[in-house]
Amino acid sequence: MPESKTPAGAADDTAAAPPAGATDDAMVVTPARATPPGPPRRGHGRRRGRHPPAATDDVEAVTRAVLTASRLLVAISARSLAAVEERVTLPQFRMLMVLYTRGATKLVTLAEQLQVAPSTAMRMVDRLIAAGLADRQTNPDNRRETLLRLTDEGRGTVENVTARRRTDIAAVVARLTPAQRTALVEALTAFSEAGGEPLAGLPDDSGPHPLGWPAAAVTEA
């Protein structure tokens, strides 16, 4: 039988035929999907260097900063009381500070300054009198009233503790730069004014001003 020949230029159908058992789907060519651009890598397109400082107009951030600073101040206060801690508690020292600043004071007024009940203030006064740090005197303007005042020993206790505290705080402040100290004065002054606390006196002023502790801080039984 003569061999059939394929005319020149004709397509070879057998070369394009799929193998036996292959489906028509195998012949479908799916176009490649374009990969979407991913997010830029961290740091890509940013200027190198220090990041800008976080915004300070954030109540929570400022509150955390003040709480952190308050821990340091409480530690300094505790160290300043170490020499007299066997005789004076922190709430009692608060009362000494009020008497130091105001002078002879009625019990009712003292309780108002400390934001405690008069009965609580009376128990604190009794303990200070027993320790020789305070005493009672008759009000010269009203013989029926009794005033409370510091003894010389009580005044000396306040001055010694305050001097220790001032020295420790000054040591911390000395580590700041001049610009930081200026900013700190402005910030703390604004904070104290917002809380209604007068500024502490200078070393040569009449003396320290009582700290503005809340009523919960004075829980002397």
Side-chain angles (χ1 to χ4, degrees):
M1 181 176 180
E3 182 179 357
S4 61
K5 294 182 179 181
T6 303
D12 188 357
D13 294 338
T14 60
T23 63
D24 292 340
D25 293 339
M27 299 301 297
V28 177
V29 179
T30 304
R33 295 182 179 179
T35 304
R41 291 180 298 176
R42 178 174 294 182
H44 181 70
R46 296 181 180 177
R47 296 178 60 184
R48 294 186 178 181
R50 298 181 59 184
H51 295 288
T56 57
D57 190 15
D58 182 344
V59 173
E60 179 60 28
V62 175
T63 300
R64 288 197 303 269
V66 173
L67 286 174
T68 302
S70 70
R71 291 200 301 267
L72 173 61
L73 293 174
V74 168
I76 290 175
S77 297
R79 288 197 300 268
S80 67
L81 282 170
V84 296
E85 63 183 353
E86 294 183 358
R87 302 178 59 193
V88 180
T89 64
L90 198 59
Q92 289 170 349
F93 185 75
R94 160 71 166 160
M95 176 174 282
L96 292 177
M97 292 282 284
V98 173
L99 291 174
Y100 186 101
T101 303
R102 296 183 60 88
T105 306
K106 294 187 297 184
L107 178 65
V108 174
T109 303
L110 186 59
E112 291 175 352
Q113 289 292 311
L114 296 172
Q115 300 179 15
V116 298
S119 58
T120 300
M122 176 62 75
R123 288 192 293 270
M124 295 172 66
V125 167
D126 289 341
R127 296 182 182 184
L128 292 177
I129 292 175
L133 302 176
D135 63 10
R136 295 182 177 90
Q137 68 176 24
T138 301
N139 187 348
D141 298 329
N142 186 345
R143 307 291 298 181
R144 292 176 297 179
E145 290 182 349
T146 300
L147 299 178
L148 305 167
R149 65 178 183 179
L150 292 181
T151 62
D152 291 340
E153 186 175 0
R155 181 173 294 274
T157 297
V158 171
E159 292 173 350
N160 290 336
V161 171
T162 302
R164 290 172 179 266
R165 185 176 301 172
R166 184 183 293 273
T167 298
D168 288 348
I169 292 176
V172 175
V173 173
R175 301 171 193 164
L176 303 177
T177 64
Q180 288 174 327
R181 289 195 288 268
T182 299
L184 185 62
V185 169
E186 295 176 355
L188 292 181
T189 299
F191 182 78
S192 299
E193 290 176 351
E197 180 67 15
L199 293 177
L202 297 173
D204 56 350
D205 284 349
S206 60
H209 193 280
L211 297 176
W213 296 340
V218 184
T219 56
E220 185 74 11

